[in-house]
Each structure stands twice: as C-alpha cells, then as structure tokens.
Amino acid sequence: MSLILGIESSCDETAAALVTSDRRILAHRLAGQEAAHRPFGGVVPEIAARAHVEILPSLIEEVLAEAEIGLDAVDAVAATAGPGLIGGVMVGLVTAKGLALAAGKPLVAVNHLEGHALSPMLSDPDLAFPYLLLLVSGGHCQLLFVEGVGRYRRLATTIDDAAGEAFDKSAKLLGLGFPGGPAVERAAAEGDPHAVPLPRPLLGSAEPHFSFAGLKSAVLRASETGRYSAADIAASFQQAVVDCLVDRTRRAIEAAPGATALVVAGGVAANQAIRDALTKLAGGHGLPFAAPPLWLCTDNAAMIAWAGALRLDAGLVDGLDAPARARWPLDPTAEKARGAGVKA
Ligand code: KG4
Ligand code: ZN
C-alpha cells in the first residue's frame, strides 16, 4: 500500500489530496476561483496562476493536518504536469518538485487527462481494464480505449470545440453566467428540449470525431431571433449535445469491441442528462456503465493522487527535470483530426 500527495492546478481549481493505492481518500481540499474569473466570463490564465500561488501551500498543509501525518509519511508527490494553462501547471509542478526534493520522495508528473481517465477506478473497485472512456471536459472531448496505466488509444477527438467549451460559450451567449455547464443544466431543467431546432454536427458520420462549433453558432442565431426563452434554448442545446455524444460513443463501441465497461469522466460528466443517456446506451450494448461521483468528475487532486499511486506501483516515476506542458496528448500516436482548432 502506498500513500500519495496529489496536487492539481492546471485550470481554475487549486487542489490537494492524500490518497492510498487501496482507494482510501485520507483528505482532499479544493479551492475554486470562480469569483475571481466571473467578471471576465471565463478563466484568465494570469489570475489563475497567481491564485494557485496564494492558495496551494495552505491546502497542502490542511490535508496533511487532517490526515495527521507529515510529509515523511507519503510515498510520492504527484502533480499535474499538463496539459493546461501553463502558468498554473508550473505552480503546482514546481511546488511538488520542491516537496519531493525536501522530503526525499519520488515525483510523479501526471497527465491531467490520465487523472480524469483513471478516476472512475478510484470510485469503482470492480472496474477493470480495458474500458471505453468518454472524456468530456472544458478543454477536451475524446473517446479513449483505456488498456492500462499509461496505455491509451484515442479513437476520436473534437475537430473544433470541446463539449465543456460549448456549454461555457453557450451559457455566455445566453447570459446564464459562469461556469457555464451547471448554469445550462439548471436552465435546461425549466425548458423544452424540442423547442428550438439545432444542428447535431457529425451525427451519423463515418468519421469518428466530434464537432460542436456549429452548434454554438446555432445557439447564437437562435437567441438573436428573440423568439425563444433562454430555458428552451438551453434545453435544446443540451439535448443536441447528448445526441452527439451518444451517437459518437455508439460508433466507438461498435468500432472498438472488447471493452469491459463504458465509462464517462471529466467535468461535463457531471451533467445528469448525459449520464442518463450513456447509461441507456451502455445497457443497450450489454455493457456496465461507470461514472465517478460528481466531485470526482470536475477537476480535483484526488484523481491526480490516484493516478500517481497507479503510476508509482507501475514504476513510472519522474525526474525533477520533468517539464510542465501546455499540450500533452494521452495517445501520442493518434493521428491529427481534421480542422484548425486541433486540441492535444
Ligand atoms: O474537467 P473540468 O473540471 O476541467 C477541465 O479539465 O476542463 O471540466 C470543466 C468543464 C467546464 O466546461 C464546465 O462548464 C463543465 O465541465 N461542466 C458541466 C457541468 N459541470 C461542469 N457541463 C455540463 N453540465 C454540468 N453539470
Ligand atoms: Zn479537467
């Protein structure tokens, strides 16, 4: 059994956690920065990096105090080393390096996407490799065949916006506030999902990928007509996203057989309509469905500590020269998807 201190700082959540390799979360802390970014309607990288500097040390002290241990009791220090906003990533990674060096412990430089990808295993002890993962967050929308720790085959990605980005931008267009995903979900609960005709980009396409930019533009046009309530547009938008995610995931299930389960992770996985639709899809294909609890879906440090624990067990530790990376694909062999806004 190993005990890992995990640190997350790649976007606008500052977080620290202590997690064991036998799935015990000894302590976890998370400090959001929503109030600092709200006036700008999105995350401002420089504000985020400064906030991480101010908040992170106290969160680390708090988790150690809650678990009543010192740094000497941990077996490794794990931190997100990318992909993400580079200033914030550097704050967390440099902090982890300092702690690892001071305590004489190994460093594990974790890919943030690997944190999301392995998070369902932290909450579900029955989940086994290989599984099909829909990873939907603010920066990414991918289908991955998860073969093992550090072994990911990317089946699909977005050719333009990520799913969470579409939620956030649509929320901004509709004046629903920030962060957009939860705001759209709340508004959608009051609306009619069939009220506004919206496109479903790439639905039924032989190409495996996702696209959301056209949907976002259609939301803008629908709101400019003045004919629909924000609730109806939000509900119709959410339904269109659900339809696209289900269609593309169905295609992946059929194209890459052999998965033991269908799994969803990442911030957008907190959306109940998406969870319900994927549960149905998995059931229809005889697959178990797994999704982490909501707090483990959005950014947190427990998933980074957990990925660190699995990597440490696999002997995958890093030197103190591990770089912070703004872009860091989980499957470096994946071909580029078409389109200009190709995300790592
Ligand atoms: O994984 P995450 O916390 O950060 C990234 O790594 O990007 O994901 C954040 C994204 C944001 O775009 C946010 O709007 C979206 O997840 N999100 C949601 C919901 N909760 C968060 N999207 C739809 N419905 C939700 N309930
Ligand atoms: Zn994330």
Side-chain angles (χ1 to χ4, degrees):
M1 197 275 295
S2 49
L3 170 60
I4 312 295
L5 169 64
I7 294 172
E8 161 60 34
S9 62
S10 65
C11 192
D12 61 341
E13 316 279 3
T14 319
L18 286 164
V19 174
T20 67
S21 56
D22 58 358
R23 294 188 174 78
R24 281 179 299 133
I25 300 169
L26 300 191
H28 71 96
R29 287 283 187 286
L30 183 115
Q33 309 171 0
E34 283 158 19
H37 300 289
R38 187 167 289 123
F40 306 95
V43 178
V44 183
E46 181 60 26
I47 292 176
R50 284 169 190 245
H52 291 308
V53 172
E54 283 165 18
I55 303 166
L56 184 56
S58 57
L59 296 189
I60 294 169
E61 281 170 9
E62 283 172 31
V63 292
L64 290 170
E66 185 181 329
E68 297 179 345
I69 57 166
L71 199 55
D72 53 323
V74 309
D75 295 294
V77 183
T80 294
L85 301 173
I86 194 69
V89 172
M90 285 171 68
V91 171
L93 184 59
V94 166
T95 303
K97 287 178 180 179
L99 294 174
L101 183 64
K105 307 289 179 179
L107 171 78
V108 187
V110 174
N111 185 315
H112 179 84
L113 301 175
E114 180 165 48
H116 281 302
L118 298 175
S119 65
M121 284 194 143
L122 173 56
S123 52
D124 186 348
D126 296 328
L127 182 61
F129 298 122
Y131 52 86
L132 179 66
L133 170 74
L134 173 64
L135 175 51
V136 270
S137 70
H140 297 87
C141 186
Q142 303 187 347
L143 281 158
L144 294 156
F145 200 78
V146 180
E147 292 166 353
V149 177
R151 290 169 43 220
Y152 307 93
R153 192 150 52 86
R154 198 197 72 192
L155 305 172
T157 187
T158 178
I159 61 167
D160 41 53
D161 291 349
E165 205 175 346
F167 270 97
D168 293 335
K169 288 178 178 172
S170 296
K172 205 170 171 180
L173 291 174
L174 296 173
L176 295 175
F178 171 85
V184 169
E185 184 169 18
R186 272 195 306 276
E190 311 294 322
D192 172 2
H194 307 293
V196 188
L198 293 173
R200 271 89 172 136
L202 294 182
L203 197 92
S205 165
E207 189 177 16
H209 301 301
F210 299 90
S211 168
F212 294 104
L215 178 55
K216 172 195 64 194
S217 311
V219 165
L220 174 63
R221 286 195 298 276
S223 77
E224 281 173 350
T225 64
R227 259 191 280 154
Y228 307 107
S229 69
D232 279 349
I233 301 177
S236 302
F237 163 81
Q238 184 173 272
Q239 186 60 50
V241 173
V242 165
D243 290 350
C244 293
L245 293 176
V246 166
D247 178 72
R248 306 287 69 201
T249 306
R250 178 185 298 115
R251 190 196 171 284
I253 291 173
E254 286 160 9
T260 61
L262 173 64
V263 175
V264 67
V268 182
N271 186 286
Q272 195 56 48
I274 292 171
R275 292 166 92 98
D276 291 346
L278 292 171
T279 305
K280 224 171 119 190
L281 175 70
H285 284 80
L287 285 174
F289 174 72
L294 298 193
W295 77 270
L296 261 182
C297 286
T298 45
D299 287 351
N300 65 85
M303 69 179 191
I304 303 303
W306 170 245
L310 294 181
R311 290 188 73 85
L312 181 71
D313 281 355
L316 300 167
V317 296
D318 296 271
L320 291 178
D321 57 350
R325 302 170 64 170
R327 292 269 163 107
W328 185 3
L330 263 189
D331 177 2
T333 67
E335 282 178 21
K336 275 196 166 183
R338 71 180 164 104
V342 176
K343 300 269 160 44

